[in-house]
Amino acid sequence: MADGTKAVVDTSAADAAADEAALAAAIDQLAGGKTAPAGTADAPSADASADAPGAGPTAGARAGAKAGSEADSTAASRASSASSKTSSEVSSTTGEENAAKDGDRDAEPAPEASVGEETSEITAPLSVHEIAAELAAGTPRKKPAPAPAASDKRRPTDPQPTVDPRDTATLPRTLPAPMRHSGDKIGNRYLLEECISQTETFSSWRAVDEKLRRAVGVHLMASGHQRARKVLAAAKSAALLGDPRFVQVLDAVQEGELVFVVREWLPHASDLAKLLTDGPMEPHEAYQMVRQVADAVAAAHRRGQAHLRLTPRCVLRTDSGQYRINGIAVDAALRGLPPEDSTEDAQRADTRAIGALLFAALTHRWPYPEDRYDLRGLPRGLQNAAPDQVRAGVHKGLSELAARALFDHPPHHAQPITTPEELVRAIAQMPRIRQPEPELPAFPAPPRHNTHALPTAPNPTRVADTTVAPLPASSRPTAARRTKRRLRRVVKATAWTVALGAIGVASWQFVGSLRHTGQAVATPQPSVSTAAPSAHPTAHAPVPIGIKGVESYNPLGDGLQGVESIKNAVDGDPGTAWTTGWFVDQFGPKPPALQSGTGLLVDLGSPQSVSSVTVQFQGGEQTAELRVPPAAVANPSQLKPDGFTTLAKKSGNTVDYTLDSPVTTRYLLIWLTALTKDGDGKYRGHVAEVKVSG
C-alpha cells in the first residue's frame, strides 16, 4: 500500500470489474422485466473491493470515487456515441423511460407500427446514472413487443391478382344499370342511338361502332352487380364459338362502373315472335326453322356451349331465309338464370326450348298456361297435348316431333327426345317437306286476236341479233363478210314470213270476231224464255221431305261431336237439341280459333229435289251454312269442307234457307261457323230441329 501506483492500478482493475458486473446485472434485470433490490447491484461491487489486495477504507473510497468518475466518463462516451443515432430513437427512449417511471402503460402491448421504436429503446446504451435511477425507482421497464410470428405477418398484395378477391355473394343483387342516354359514348368507341329494352338490371341498345362505321347491339350492366362477372365470362365464351349460325359477340369490357357486351347487329332480320304475328307457319317453313335451329344448337353443345334461354325473341330469320340464334349463354347470364347442374340438364333444357318453338310455329299458341311473346297460352286441360290436338290441319310428322322434344311423357307413349343431337337425327329421318308451288297471279286472258298480233314480228330480229356473235380473230375477212350476208338474208326472210303470217292471222281473227258479234246479238231472245221456268217452283206449296238419318261431320277436329244427342236434331221436338262439344275460342279461319267449323250431315235416303231447309237453334243466335256435296260422291263424310258447294249462309235463332231453284241431292250439310257462348264461358252449338222441303 506504500506504493501508491500499485494501489491505484489494483483499485482501477477492481473498479472496472465492479462496474461491468453492475452494468450486466442491470441490463439482465431490464431485459427480464423484473425489479431487483437495490442491494443486489451493490454486492458485487463491495465484494470486488474487498477482494482487492491491500484495499482499505480509504482505498475503497478512492476506488469508489474513481469508479464513479470512470463510469461517468464511460457513460459520457456512450452518450456521445448514442447522440450520433437518429433523433427519433433518442426521443422514443426518453418517452419510454418517462412512461416506465410513471407506470401508466405497464400492461399495454406495443402496436405493430412501433416495433422499430421498441427495438431502438432496448438496444440504446445506458449511462450509470440511468441504471442507478432505474434500480432506485424499482419500477420494471416495459417489455418489448414480441416479434410477430411468420404466420402472422401480413402477406404482400398482388397489384394485379389473377383471381378477383371479391366475393360475388356479397355484391348487390338488384343494382340498377347506370343511366345512359342517346348520344352517350361508351368505351370511347360505341355511340348509343336507341334503347331497345330496359330492365331493372340491364339495358339493351342499338349503337354505332365509330371505329368500324357499323351498327352494333350493346347490353349495359353495372360492374358492381352480382351478375356482372358471369355476364363477362359468358360473353367471352360465346365469342370463342365462331359459328356463323349464332349472332357473334364482338366485345365484352368492364370499364369503371359499367360492364358492356357488344354483339353483331342484324338490321333486316325478324325474330320468330314477329313472324308468328299473322298466324302459324306453313309446314315447310316450320320444318326449315326447326332443322336449322336444332343443327346450330347441337353443334354448340358439341363444343361445350349451351344457350339455356332459347325463346322466340332469340331466333332471327334473315332476308335470305337463314335462321340465326342470338344470345347464346349471355341472355341467361343477364337474367340471372342459374346454370344447369350437368351437361344432361343443359341439353334437355335447350331441346325442350326447341320443341316449344316448333309448337308455337305450328299452332300459334304458347305451350304453357302463361301468355308470352304475343302468343296466347294453352288452357289447363290441354297441357301435354300434341300440336295436332290443339289446332286442326297440323302436319302429323312435325306435331309428333314437337311433342317428343317438348314433353317428358309425349302422347301415344312416344319416346321423348332429350338432346339436340337426338333431335337432329329425328329430323333427318323425317320425309322431306317440300316447299309449296308459288301461286301465279290470275291475269285476265287476253283477246284471241291479240295472241298472234304483229308485235311478235320483231322477236326473230332480236334472236338474230343475239346469234350474230363476233367471229374469231383468226378467221379470214372474206369468210366473215360471207357469213354476215347469209345471216342478213335469213333474217329478212324470216321477218317477212312472220309479218305475212301475222297479217293473215289478224285478218282471220277479225272475221271471227264479226261472226261472234252476230251470234251475241241473237242470244238475248232465248234468255227470256229460260227465266220463265224459275218462277214455277215458287208457285207450288213446299212439300216436306223425310230425313232418313243424321251424323256428326267434324273433319277438322279430333272426333265426332255430340254422338249421344245426334237424334235430337230430327226428332220433331224443339225442346231437345243436338249439342256439340265445347270450344275455348269461337270458330274462325285464323288463330286463335282451333278450327273453322263443325257440321251436321243430313241423309234424305235418295236424291230429292230440295227447295228450302229450315234450321232451329237453341241457346242463342248461331251462324250456319247450307252445303251440298257433288252428285257423284257416294260417301260425303270423307270429303273436306271445301269439297262441298255452299248454297246459302245465315245467322239467327231460326234460319230458313229458300233456294232460287231446286237442287237435287241426297245429302245436306248444316255447317256451323259461329257458336253461342254458354254460361260457363265456353262455345257450343245447339241444333234443335232440321226440316227439309221440296
Side-chain angles (χ1 to χ4, degrees), residues 136 206 544 582:
R206 177 176 57 83
W582 59 269

Side-chain angles (χ1 to χ4, degrees), residues 171-178 200-202 221-226 257:
L171 298 178
R173 292 178 178 270
T174 58
L175 187 65
E200 294 181 356
T201 57
F202 71 94
M221 174 179 279
S223 60
H225 196 281
Q226 195 176 41
E257 64 173 2

Side-chain angles (χ1 to χ4, degrees), residues 298-317:
H301 276 274
R302 285 194 295 268
R303 299 189 59 179
Q305 290 282 358
H307 195 289
L308 302 179
R309 196 179 181 276
L310 194 58
T311 68
R313 301 288 187 195
C314 299
V315 179
L316 309 176
R317 188 180 69 180

Side-chain angles (χ1 to χ4, degrees), residues 12 48 56 76 90 103 151 183 243 283 309 317 346 442 473 531 555 561 633:
S12 62
V90 175
S151 60
D243 192 329
R309 196 179 181 276
R317 188 180 69 180
Q561 298 282 326
V633 177

